[in-house]
Amino acid sequence: MLLPMKPAHRSRRLALPVVATLVASAALAVVAAPAALAATTPRPAPSPIAAGFNHTLALASDGTVRAFGSGGNGDLGVGSHAEHDTPVQVKGVGGTGVLSHVAAVAAGSNYSLALLATGNVVAWGYNVNGSLGDHSNVERTLPVYVKSPTNIKLSGVVAIAASPIGTTSLALKSNGTVWAWGSNNQGQLGNNDGFHQDTNTPVQVTGPGGSGFLTGVVAIAVGAEHSVALKSNGSVWTWGGNGAGQLGNGTDGPSGQDAPVQVHNIDNVGMLSQVVGVSAGGYFTIALRSDGTMVGWGDDNYGQLGDNAPGSHSDLPVAPVGLGGRLVAIAAGYINTYALKQDGTVWAWGDDFNGAIGDGTNSGTPVATPVRVNRLVDGSGVVSLAGGFGRGEAVTSPGVVYGWGYNASGQLGDSTTINATSPVRTVTVPKIANPALRVLVAPKISGTAAAGHTLSVSKGTWGLPATSWAYQWLRSGAAILHATHATYTLTTADKGKRISVRVTASRSGYPSGHTTTAARTVSS
């Protein structure tokens, strides 16, 4: 299997300022708690589409999976090595029936992962480095279960990640721990083994410095040779290869990190905080922050950091230039970056070879600042993104898939193998699953917090958007009987208590979303 070559890096390392201990401590102290993050931009839901090296996976709303593109290593999970330029349905484990009850998908370099609603993981495709985690190095054209170290089904998994241009796989468990398997040439398994040995059996990612185990993780991502974890406190941790500064800790070099290190902040002032989403490209990393902005670090040879400095790299986070507006989702491709704004528009930067930018051009030169991807044919707002090798993918609110860029193996699913410089619609794919509605602007309570006065709550702003709302007023966290309207008149029972509201937003055909407002204390 031929993988893309590593980029040649020309350093643009930022100067590391000398920071007083007091200032650094203050920067560390402002890391937002999970509740604060939820009140602004929430953590994006996993995308129902996954773009691998030369194939794509799409999770349908009925829990089944469609695959299209290259099948040279069994990537599509249909029991053959055939290539398909239109979606085909992934078969069940061992070829029995069809794969169903799927909660999430991830596409790697010629292999695939699927998370089942049971918390188990299945995999298929290329397996020389053990990327399927089934205790073998045998290629699989049909799904098999990922096995635990004790050779039973890996369980308790809530998120998965696969390298679209590598062969490393990650799984996040419900207890906040991370497990890894596959390629480990730069320490990207994070198990501090000191030998960089590949493994076909999941191993647990260690804690910083190799002590204990990494915990408190809520999201994961994996690049060509490095891995990323987002903790519930908004901090970001990385491990593995660092030749382009993709670990973001102010260093770079040929030797990888076998255990997690914490990502530093812009200009090296404290640590990066208030992050709600992460994505890993080939040799770079991007992060979405709770205020709707984003930063990136690592390889920038093709302008994929968006800061108008192509032909370089940064070992500390930098912000894209001139993006503007609130972002709700991000996705990194091999050497491209994609961002979804609150208004449903998609923006792209990085290499434009084969039309990966999606603006109708095919210059083959770096696009080092964000440009808007051309309007999708049906005109509907985008709700999910994915980035792959030389291409971008998007899902609109009606559950329709679009793609643009490299299409030599039919990975755009439009019944052709012609590259697309503007978005084209994937054909014959059923309605795609959409994430639960996400709160973009949190609901707020207004009014005087005193007995006899009436409080009201705003609807907030939701991502699809929502079309109906339900309310439940809470007294010190407990539901107040019959208080289910947008207004509530305080009584003497509320004196000295903290009043909040649980707001549930709905839209027909989509999972509902909910959030709880900040509390108001009633005067006694």
Side-chain angles (χ1 to χ4, degrees), residues 375-398:
R375 184 179 176 87
L376 278 59
V377 174
D378 69 0
S380 298
V382 174
V383 294
S384 295
L385 292 177
F389 180 69
R391 73 189 189 282
E393 305 276 348
V395 177
T396 64
S397 57

Side-chain angles (χ1 to χ4, degrees), residues 310-394:
S312 57
H313 77 269
S314 178
D315 53 30
L316 290 169
V318 295
V321 174
L323 185 55
R326 177 178 286 273
L327 304 180
V328 294
I330 55 174
Y334 175 49
I335 48 178
N336 291 94
T337 300
Y338 303 98
L340 172 61
K341 288 189 178 182
Q342 181 177 333
D343 62 7
T345 61
V346 180
W347 297 72
W349 54 98
D351 184 64
D352 194 27
F353 190 64
N354 295 320
I357 297 299
D359 66 341
T361 66
N362 187 17
S363 65
T365 58
V367 175
T369 57
V371 298
R372 183 175 172 178
V373 173
N374 283 351
R375 184 179 176 87
L376 278 59
V377 174
D378 69 0
S380 298
V382 174
V383 294
S384 295
L385 292 177
F389 180 69
R391 73 189 189 282
E393 305 276 348

Side-chain angles (χ1 to χ4, degrees), residues 1-17:
M1 178 182 63
L2 179 64
L3 290 177
M5 295 179 63
K6 289 185 185 180
H9 299 296
R10 290 171 291 189
S11 180
R12 179 178 49 84
R13 291 185 60 187
L14 303 178
L16 307 184

Side-chain angles (χ1 to χ4, degrees), residues 157-247:
V157 177
V158 294
I160 51 176
S163 172
I165 28 70
T167 51
T168 303
S169 304
L170 300 180
L172 170 64
K173 288 198 172 187
S174 58
N175 62 2
T177 62
V178 181
W179 296 73
W181 59 95
S183 178
N184 194 34
N185 61 307
Q186 289 289 321
Q188 58 265 48
L189 297 186
N191 62 333
N192 199 36
D193 72 344
F195 301 103
H196 292 178
Q197 293 181 334
D198 297 349
T199 177
N200 55 29
T201 302
V203 294
Q204 189 169 358
V205 175
T206 66
S211 177
F213 296 104
L214 191 64
T215 59
V217 176
V218 293
I220 50 177
V222 58
E225 296 176 339
H226 76 289
S227 301
V228 187
L230 168 63
K231 285 196 171 190
S232 60
N233 64 3
S235 64
V236 180
W237 299 76
T238 54
W239 58 95
N242 197 32
Q246 62 263 47
L247 299 189

Side-chain angles (χ1 to χ4, degrees), residues 439-444 457-462 469 503:
V439 60
L440 303 177
V441 178
K444 294 181 180 179
V457 62
S458 65
K459 296 175 179 177
T461 302
W462 298 78
W469 295 263
V503 180

Side-chain angles (χ1 to χ4, degrees), residues 32-50:
L37 296 182
T40 52
T41 297
R43 286 191 297 272
S47 176
I49 48 175

Side-chain angles (χ1 to χ4, degrees), residues 97-313:
V98 298
L99 193 63
S100 60
H101 300 96
V102 177
V105 290
S109 185
N110 299 346
Y111 75 99
S112 304
L113 304 176
L115 170 62
L116 305 183
T118 57
N120 304 123
V121 181
V122 297
W124 59 95
Y126 185 76
N127 199 26
V128 169
N129 302 104
S131 50
L132 303 189
D134 68 336
H135 293 217
S136 84
N137 295 84
V138 178
E139 177 185 287
R140 309 287 186 176
T141 61
L142 293 167
V144 294
Y145 282 102
V146 175
K147 300 291 187 65
S148 74
T150 56
N151 205 30
I152 61 175
K153 296 176 186 177
L154 190 66
S155 62
V157 177
V158 294
I160 51 176
S163 172
I165 28 70
T167 51
T168 303
S169 304
L170 300 180
L172 170 64
K173 288 198 172 187
S174 58
N175 62 2
T177 62
V178 181
W179 296 73
W181 59 95
S183 178
N184 194 34
N185 61 307
Q186 289 289 321
Q188 58 265 48
L189 297 186
N191 62 333
N192 199 36
D193 72 344
F195 301 103
H196 292 178
Q197 293 181 334
D198 297 349
T199 177
N200 55 29
T201 302
V203 294
Q204 189 169 358
V205 175
T206 66
S211 177
F213 296 104
L214 191 64
T215 59
V217 176
V218 293
I220 50 177
V222 58
E225 296 176 339
H226 76 289
S227 301
V228 187
L230 168 63
K231 285 196 171 190
S232 60
N233 64 3
S235 64
V236 180
W237 299 76
T238 54
W239 58 95
N242 197 32
Q246 62 263 47
L247 299 189
N249 68 336
T251 70
D252 55 34
S255 298
Q257 290 280 352
D258 292 335
V261 295
Q262 190 169 3
V263 175
H264 293 207
N265 205 356
I266 294 175
D267 295 331
N268 210 29
V269 179
M271 301 296 178
L272 186 63
S273 65
Q274 298 182 336
V275 173
V276 294
V278 291
S279 184
Y283 299 89
F284 71 103
T285 313
I286 55 176
L288 175 65
R289 305 189 73 183
S290 60
D291 62 358
T293 63
M294 68 173 291
V295 293
W297 57 93
D299 180 39
D300 199 18
N301 268 322
Y302 297 91
Q304 56 265 53
L305 299 186
D307 64 334
N308 203 26
S312 57
H313 77 269

